Amino acid sequence: MARSGPIVDDPTLGNGADPTRAADINEKQTSESDPSIPRDDFSGSSGEKDAAKERRPDGKVEILESENYDKLGFAFPTWKKWTILSVIFAVQTSMNFNTSIYANAIKPLSEHFHISEQAARVGQMIFLVAYGFGSELWAPWSEDLGRWPILQLSLFLVNIWQIPCALAPNFGTIVVGRFLGGLSSAGGSVTLGMVADMWEADDQQYAVAFIVLSSVGGSALGPIIGAFVQNFLPWNWNFWVQLIFGAAVQAAHFILVPETRSTIILDREAKKRRKAGEAEVYGPNELKEHRFETKEILNTWARPFIMFVKEPIVLWLSLLSGFSDALIFTFLESFTPVFEQWSFTTIALGLAFIPIIIGYFIAYFSFFPFIHRDRQIRRRDPDALQPERRLYWLLYTAPLETIGLFGFAWTSLGPPRVHWIAPLIFSVLIAIANYCIYMATVDYMIASYGPYSASATGGNALARDVLAGIAAMYAIPMYENIPGPLHLEWASTILACIAILVTIPIYIFYWKGPVIRERSKFAQTLASDRKAKGGRRVVNSDTLDQSNRDATV
């Protein structure tokens, strides 16, 4: 039977569907499509029924997510989810705040310890590089031990390492403290993993967008606060301010945020049942053998690195996001030499980052119409859209990075030829593109990897932070050492040309994404398991855990 509407040649429309057909399908609003409705009446597949009744040889029975869905993070009431997310927003902001406010300590540290400003930048570089590896190292433990204890331990250690930095008798102490602080930072991999704990893939985008805003916003907030600290307080207050912010968010997290990791919640439910008399019931982690042996610990730590190397989705999107972040970081480092042409004071230089935050908010709200439309389509037909649809808005916003950098470059001529507002306007475009690239890539990865999204997005954090850390060392020398009177303009022009190359893979991924995903055993297995569970996210996968062990043998 012929369709009344034309078929749109769009790779993000699944099963040959077209938008007109998707719009005509009657809505299927059942309890399964709404995570806030208890799932006690969900029977699951026949395989799950049999598994629930089948005892292990030792007589133990594993508790299933299908029969306890109403106790998992997916079923938290909306107010509770957004209370948790608001605290996590503050936690993530503080982590990224620590990476950027240090820039305002470079000149004071140089003067106090009698070192060059380039040497003082080592503290910024080492923190960012260590932060990238810290995200990789903490992420898998949050999947195995729970989000709450990992974030608490991470925040505690980060706060502790601020103290030797603030009291440092020499610059070497600061370098060591910054390295340990970066390595102790769990980062966005864990906070984004909590989104996967509380929202199904089709409903997660508003939450992902919110957390991404905290990540990029924290990096822009640092220079604004840091300017006032630099202008009015001694250099060590740069670290005391980080400690005060970190201690406040740790306290809020301790009081207001419960555990969200599904396997941990199931373990706790099993313990309650055993106390109530069901002696044979155990949680998924309780049934894992040799969980804390050396080999299993190494397997856990290796998971995000294996995914970064072997999963094409993680590798290419992380590199895309990482190179983009390095470009942005290099561009932001140019603010001092560029705006000093207009005689900006320290505080004025800090306030120049406000347009960056404005750009991030514009980008954040720009996703709302697309998120709303796609959710409506999925509710009518869950298979109407491919995961690549999450990259759609990026097709139009990614070029703003190149446009913004070119515009910033040739409005950096200084007075009297150009007013200072011109480069700030172009910085808004760059901020919009940076947010959209980060948002679209992590949203795609969380949707693809579900319960292992912390490990997947850890690769994104690794690429972004390590490349940004490297940029911290070459950014200022690049802007200062290019010969000629237009050295500032040509430095930003080089970044704009690189941005063209960085954005090309976005279009390749959008059109060839299904082919790339076919090469991802991890993503394909999770997608199959999720489909078998009626569209619900998989909270644990023994198949993938075994694959991870095999890969490290």
Side-chain angles (χ1 to χ4, degrees), residues 12 33-34 73 213 237-238 245 287 329 384 391 398 402 488 535 539:
T12 66
S33 66
D34 188 351
L213 179 63
W237 271 94
N238 187 283
F245 194 179
L287 294 175
F329 190 90
L391 303 176
T402 301
L488 297 177
V539 301

Side-chain angles (χ1 to χ4, degrees), residues 516-536:
I516 297 173
R517 280 188 292 111
E518 287 178 0
R519 300 174 183 174
S520 171
K521 180 180 178 181
F522 217 115
Q524 289 297 319
T525 301
L526 280 171
S528 298
D529 288 349
R530 184 170 178 266
K531 188 173 182 180
K533 292 179 180 291
R536 292 198 188 91

Side-chain angles (χ1 to χ4, degrees), residues 349-367:
L349 283 169
L351 296 178
F353 284 82
I354 291 178
I356 300 293
I357 293 181
I358 292 173
Y360 288 151
F361 272 96
I362 292 173
Y364 169 65
F365 287 112
S366 75
F367 271 92

Side-chain angles (χ1 to χ4, degrees), residues 105-127:
I106 288 175
K107 188 173 182 179
L109 287 174
S110 172
E111 295 172 352
H112 181 80
F113 291 112
H114 306 291
I115 57 176
S116 68
E117 290 189 11
Q118 184 68 0
R121 292 188 186 98
V122 171
Q124 187 171 22
M125 178 273 294
I126 201 71
F127 186 93

Side-chain angles (χ1 to χ4, degrees), residues 239-541:
F239 302 103
W240 291 130
V241 168
Q242 294 178 57
L243 175 59
I244 292 169
F245 194 179
V249 298
Q250 183 181 1
H253 178 269
F254 185 91
I255 297 169
L256 298 174
V257 177
E259 181 57 63
T260 60
R261 175 65 174 166
S262 297
T263 52
I264 304 300
I265 295 174
L266 291 174
D267 288 344
R268 292 176 180 175
E269 178 63 20
K271 290 176 183 177
K272 288 181 182 179
R273 291 193 183 185
R274 288 201 299 273
K275 288 182 179 179
E278 299 180 54
E280 73 282 0
V281 176
Y282 286 82
N285 288 323
E286 294 178 303
L287 294 175
K288 288 183 178 180
E289 298 179 356
H290 316 297
R291 191 179 175 196
F292 294 108
E293 290 185 356
T294 302
K295 182 178 179 181
E296 286 300 310
I297 291 174
L298 293 176
N299 285 336
T300 299
W301 259 329
R303 186 190 303 141
F305 294 99
I306 291 172
M307 293 180 72
F308 183 76
V309 173
K310 298 186 69 174
E311 290 293 305
I313 295 173
V314 177
L315 176 63
W316 291 109
L317 289 184
S318 295
L319 290 177
L320 162 66
S321 184
F323 278 112
S324 174
D325 200 50
L327 288 177
I328 301 302
F329 190 90
T330 306
F331 149 73
L332 292 177
E333 289 291 295
S334 74
F335 270 38
T336 298
V338 167
F339 290 106
E340 280 180 345
Q341 297 178 107
W342 286 278
S343 302
F344 273 33
T345 63
T346 298
I347 292 178
L349 283 169
L351 296 178
F353 284 82
I354 291 178
I356 300 293
I357 293 181
I358 292 173
Y360 288 151
F361 272 96
I362 292 173
Y364 169 65
F365 287 112
S366 75
F367 271 92
F368 282 23
F370 297 94
I371 294 173
H372 177 75
R373 183 190 63 184
D374 289 353
R375 287 182 72 184
Q376 294 302 313
I377 293 175
R378 290 191 190 99
R379 286 178 178 177
R380 296 184 179 101
D381 182 0
D383 298 322
L385 300 177
Q386 295 278 5
E388 286 69 33
R389 186 71 170 188
R390 297 169 189 268
L391 303 176
Y392 178 76
W393 184 223
L394 189 56
L395 301 179
Y396 300 93
T397 54
L400 294 179
E401 185 169 75
T402 301
I403 296 170
L405 285 168
F406 272 123
F408 182 86
W410 296 101
T411 55
S412 299
L413 295 166
R417 289 172 288 185
V418 181
H419 192 275
W420 54 262
I421 197 67
L424 290 180
I425 291 173
F426 282 105
S427 72
V428 174
L429 301 183
I430 298 169
I432 292 172
N434 186 42
Y435 176 91
C436 291
I437 289 173
Y438 192 16
M439 163 61 187
T441 54
V442 299
D443 183 34
Y444 186 82
M445 283 194 279
I446 292 173
S448 298
Y449 293 101
Y452 297 97
S453 56
S455 291
T457 56
N460 192 299
L462 175 67
R464 289 176 68 89
D465 294 324
V466 169
L467 292 174
I470 295 171
M473 299 305 296
Y474 69 72
I476 293 297
M478 173 179 158
Y479 273 88
E480 291 179 344
N481 296 330
I482 291 179
L486 300 177
H487 59 283
L488 297 177
E489 291 75 13
W490 283 116
S492 295
T493 300
I494 291 171
L495 297 180
C497 294
I498 296 173
I500 297 174
L501 301 177
V502 168
T503 54
I504 289 175
I506 295 171
Y507 302 91
I508 296 174
F509 222 99
Y510 182 78
W511 292 103
K512 300 297 182 181
V515 177
I516 297 173
R517 280 188 292 111
E518 287 178 0
R519 300 174 183 174
S520 171
K521 180 180 178 181
F522 217 115
Q524 289 297 319
T525 301
L526 280 171
S528 298
D529 288 349
R530 184 170 178 266
K531 188 173 182 180
K533 292 179 180 291
R536 292 198 188 91
R537 195 189 297 278
V538 183
V539 301
N540 192 43
S541 176

